[in-house]
Amino acid sequence: MAFGYEFVDLNDEQKHIRRALLEHYPFVAFCSALVVFALFQLGFFLAWFTQRGLEYDKPKSPSLNKRAEGKWAWLKKSRHNVVRVKWWMKASVICGWGTRGEWIGGVIWTLWLLYLSFAQTGNDYLHLTKRFGIIGASQLPLHYLLAMRSPYSPIQFLTRMSHEQLKGAHQVLGRIIFFLFVLHAVLYMIFFVLSGFLAKRIKDKDVIFGIFSIILFSILSTTALGQLRRWNYRVFYISHVLIATLVIAALYIHVTHIRPYILGVIVVYIFHGLLRNFSLNVYKGSIRVLPGTNLVRIHIPLEAGNSALTWRPGQHVYLSLPTGKPYTQLELRSLTNPFSVASVPANDKELILVAKVMNGNTKKLADLARSLVSHESDEAPRIPFALEGPYGYSNWLPDFSTFDKILLVAGGVGATYVMPIYRNIISDCNYNHASRPEVRFIWSVRTLADVQWAFLASTDDEVESEQSFSGSVVEVFVTGPSGSGLQIEEPSGEIELAEDDQLLSLEEQMERPRKGTMLKAGRPNIDAIVDEMFGTVERVAVISCGPKGLTDQLSKSVERWVGRGADVYWHKETFGW
């Protein structure tokens, strides 16, 4: 056989040794993740230590802030080099196929698992074949843990990352597991063919369920491709959840040796399900399509004592399509879409959810909103909504008062994530801190109508009290047409022309002078805006959410300043599930 491996006959003692090795190395592979999590903790400690050292060494005179001398100068240079490497690793290798960091981490992990697959297999072909399969199975509990949405996930706690940020690792590990399982299946098929056992073994239960598992993994990998997710999120989500459940049952029946790891997956699965059930609640609110837009807005009033009043800015929920039918929680969770909470619940005493109408669930929400419109009353009826959450990265956002400047950039409905953070920063920095950072919020929209969910319901006094007292304004860049000529393209391809009086009323209200907002025509010059925000300042925070083109351009502009030594906190919110 190739590479020195051959079919060998083993005595009972040798078989016992092989079985012991087949238990030892997968356990090592399973525990290897603990080393990765330990490295995360070491990284957090070093980051804290570095920050403390730099704060201690920071000169009192602002004119000396750029000095390279001093006892801690090496620490500053080291941190700068680490930051530059991290930014380099964030760049995509190929558009839609992961970042450099994901590729490097994936290659390192693959090589490690391959080493554990080959170690002490000698020339035993069947030992190597079995090792590929059980090493792949040992990674399944970690793979399913990486997919957990709940903030109570141990991996989210250890890495300080949200499930949106962990999805890259989940996808990479899934491909590695699939690769190992394919090697396992191919080598076994070669053995069956060359040994003449194929006709007999193909009828055995373990082989049947092994082949069935490989087919399921192939479908799972195909439906998880980014092109399919963008084409139809619903097909991806339902097929992913269904197949991920079926494949566990198939693997459990396949062979007994991998069952400890399959049982680990089942524990994760049950734990995740319980947490999601705990996070799923029904609220009553109204839904409407905003005039002159393809945005659907959901408004949910909150009464005193409601747990949603404690939700933090930057969090999001998964909303189930209300149907009026007695669906189970499992069925509700298969009909969800992520919505950023566009309000500050503690201050507003309400939940505001806004989404762009696309094909699928959001289009059904828009159709529902239109069906509820009554000509006798302007007030939309209240209906039940099932919300799962809240989720998100907000627990790990820094104390923004420690920064010299803060740049917030949103595109379209990306402002549903950025706006609550902006309002919270303005409020906290004004009342709780003597020295306030300079805050700049750039919001690019196609039409003025697209911002009405954020400003239309507020009075001038409310806007002034919340936004203008600190000197910060929301710079709204309108990139498309406005006025009575505005046209909105629906997902179905039909063109809906809003009524002239409705649009003109909206335009008049949005264009009148408002404290806390500044209207500009055209696209924002991201390079110029970033250059204005940076310069001689020590620390800058940059938060973004919006179309990929906008956030990529912002990332490139900020990276130039990172290369010059700027101290930057960067967070880009994306939804890719």
Side-chain angles (χ1 to χ4, degrees):
M1 297 298 296
F3 306 107
Y5 283 89
E6 57 187 30
F7 305 150
V8 296
D9 293 325
L10 303 179
N11 57 38
D12 291 341
E13 182 181 356
Q14 291 172 325
K15 289 180 180 179
H16 177 74
I17 294 174
R18 181 169 72 179
R19 174 51 48 200
L21 292 173
L22 284 172
E23 293 175 354
H24 170 71
Y25 280 100
F27 184 72
V28 172
F30 173 77
C31 295
S32 297
L34 298 177
V35 177
V36 177
F37 300 140
L39 290 176
F40 267 96
Q41 307 316 306
L42 177 61
F44 296 143
F45 170 76
L46 292 177
W48 172 84
F49 175 77
T50 301
Q51 188 62 38
R52 289 293 300 270
L54 294 177
E55 289 177 357
Y56 175 80
D57 192 50
K58 187 175 181 180
K60 302 300 181 182
S61 173
S63 62
L64 299 178
N65 277 348
K66 288 192 171 183
R67 70 178 185 179
E69 301 82 7
K71 182 173 61 174
W72 298 93
W74 65 273
L75 198 58
K76 188 172 185 179
K77 292 179 181 179
S78 299
R79 187 178 71 162
H80 176 55
N81 290 332
V82 170
V83 170
R84 292 184 64 178
V85 171
K86 289 173 64 176
W87 273 84
W88 180 85
M89 295 179 73
K90 289 178 182 179
S92 297
V93 176
I94 303 174
C95 184
W97 285 89
T99 64
R100 291 169 179 164
E102 290 170 359
W103 276 82
I104 293 172
V107 169
I108 293 174
W109 199 248
T110 302
L111 292 175
W112 170 242
L113 295 181
L114 286 176
Y115 166 76
L116 295 178
S117 298
F118 280 94
Q120 288 189 273
T121 56
N123 65 338
D124 189 347
Y125 179 91
L126 281 182
H127 189 174
L128 177 65
T129 302
K130 294 174 183 288
R131 189 79 70 84
F132 281 134
I134 198 167
I135 290 289
S138 72
Q139 301 301 291
L140 287 172
L142 176 62
H143 182 55
Y144 279 71
L145 272 173
L146 287 168
M148 286 186 65
R149 286 181 181 173
S150 174
Y152 297 103
S153 163
I155 293 185
Q156 290 186 39
F157 175 77
L158 291 171
T159 62
R160 302 182 188 177
M161 300 170 70
S162 66
H163 79 274
E164 292 84 11
Q165 295 172 308
L166 290 170
K167 74 175 189 288
H170 171 77
Q171 293 167 348
V172 170
L173 185 58
R175 297 185 184 111
I176 295 172
I177 293 172
F178 181 51
F179 170 67
L180 291 172
F181 281 167
V182 167
L183 289 177
H184 171 74
V186 168
L187 291 181
Y188 249 124
M189 281 299 174
I190 292 174
F191 169 72
F192 292 153
V193 171
L194 295 182
S195 302
F197 296 151
L198 182 60
K200 175 183 178 296
R201 291 288 280 128
I202 201 70
K203 301 175 184 178
D204 294 339
K205 183 181 69 174
D206 61 330
V207 176
I208 292 173
F209 279 96
I211 294 174
F212 183 54
S213 299
I214 285 294
I215 293 173
L216 289 178
F217 266 106
S218 300
I219 299 173
L220 196 66
S221 300
T222 303
T223 56
L225 292 175
Q227 294 87 340
L228 181 60
R229 293 202 310 270
R230 289 187 291 270
W231 169 70
N232 194 314
Y233 175 85
R234 192 68 49 230
V235 171
F236 153 72
Y237 182 81
I238 295 176
S239 63
H240 209 71
V241 173
L242 179 62
I243 297 173
T245 304
L246 288 175
V247 76
I248 293 305
L251 288 173
Y252 186 87
I253 300 173
H254 174 47
V255 289
T256 60
H257 311 309
I258 63 173
R259 286 184 181 176
Y261 303 107
I262 303 304
L263 290 174
V265 172
I266 294 174
V267 170
V268 172
Y269 212 88
I270 294 173
F271 179 57
H272 189 196
L274 292 174
L275 290 177
R276 291 189 63 184
N277 286 340
F278 178 75
S279 300
L280 185 63
N281 293 289
V282 176
Y283 300 83
K284 283 194 173 182
S286 59
I287 180 172
R288 63 189 293 255
V289 176
L290 297 179
T293 73
N294 60 348
L295 301 177
V296 61
R297 175 182 181 270
I298 295 169
H299 171 253
I300 300 175
L302 299 176
E303 300 178 354
N306 194 306
S307 61
L309 291 170
T310 63
W311 292 3
R312 300 165 60 93
Q315 291 184 314
H316 64 272
V317 296
Y318 284 81
L319 180 140
S320 302
L321 178 67
T323 62
K325 299 179 181 179
Y327 280 126
T328 65
Q329 290 186 333
L330 178 62
E331 289 170 315
L332 281 173
R333 289 203 300 267
S334 67
L335 299 170
T336 60
N337 274 78
F339 283 72
S340 293
V341 178
S343 57
V344 181
N347 297 339
D348 303 333
K349 306 299 187 267
E350 63 182 6
L351 295 178
I352 300 295
L353 310 176
V354 181
K356 184 177 180 181
V357 178
M358 308 289 285
N359 287 318
N361 202 23
T362 51
K363 187 176 187 300
K364 293 179 181 178
L365 286 171
D367 293 339
L368 175 65
R370 295 188 183 98
S371 69
L372 295 173
V373 172
S374 173
H375 297 288
E376 300 177 356
S377 174
D378 294 334
E379 186 175 349
R382 295 179 64 182
I383 59 175
F385 295 92
L387 302 184
E388 181 192 328
Y391 300 129
Y393 183 73
S394 61
N395 289 335
W396 308 114
L397 289 175
D399 180 0
F400 288 105
S401 66
T402 62
F403 293 89
D404 298 303
K405 293 186 178 182
I406 303 170
L407 175 61
L408 308 170
V409 179
V413 291
T416 57
Y417 172 78
V418 179
M419 178 63 76
I421 294 178
Y422 167 75
R423 292 177 54 196
N424 195 59
I425 291 173
I426 294 299
S427 177
D428 286 351
C429 291
N430 182 73
Y431 292 112
N432 299 334
H433 303 281
S435 59
R436 300 188 298 269
E438 177 186 340
V439 182
R440 190 170 182 183
F441 182 5
I442 307 298
W443 185 6
S444 176
V445 295
R446 185 173 178 271
T447 68
L448 277 174
D450 291 333
V451 306
Q452 61 181 291
W453 62 266
F455 298 112
L456 191 59
S458 299
T459 65
D460 286 340
D461 292 339
E462 290 172 342
V463 173
E464 178 179 2
S465 65
E466 189 170 90
Q467 295 173 336
S468 63
F469 53 70
S470 66
S472 178
V473 297
V474 179
E475 300 176 47
V476 179
F477 287 79
V478 183
T479 64
S482 61
S484 59
L486 176 64
Q487 291 181 334
I488 303 298
E489 184 174 354
E490 295 292 339
S492 62
E494 300 174 355
I495 301 297
E496 176 185 336
L497 182 62
E499 297 180 4
D500 290 348
D501 56 346
Q502 195 176 37
L503 281 173
L504 288 173
S505 174
L506 174 63
E507 293 294 315
E508 290 172 358
Q509 186 165 1
M510 290 306 303
E511 289 181 348
R512 64 192 175 108
R514 300 177 63 85
K515 295 181 179 181
T517 63
M518 180 184 299
L519 301 180
K520 299 181 180 181
R523 299 182 182 278
N525 187 334
I526 296 298
D527 289 341
I529 291 171
V530 170
D531 290 344
E532 289 176 14
M533 290 297 293
F534 287 81
T536 59
V537 295
E538 280 293 298
R539 303 191 71 204
V540 180
V542 182
I543 308 291
S544 69
C545 185
K548 188 176 184 302
L550 177 66
T551 55
D552 285 351
Q553 183 183 1
L554 177 65
S555 177
K556 292 178 181 177
S557 299
V558 173
E559 188 174 7
R560 288 190 290 107
W561 284 95
V562 171
R564 299 176 188 177
D567 185 356
V568 181
Y569 172 83
W570 164 268
H571 177 67
K572 178 179 71 173
E573 185 75 2
T574 58
F575 295 100
W577 290 95

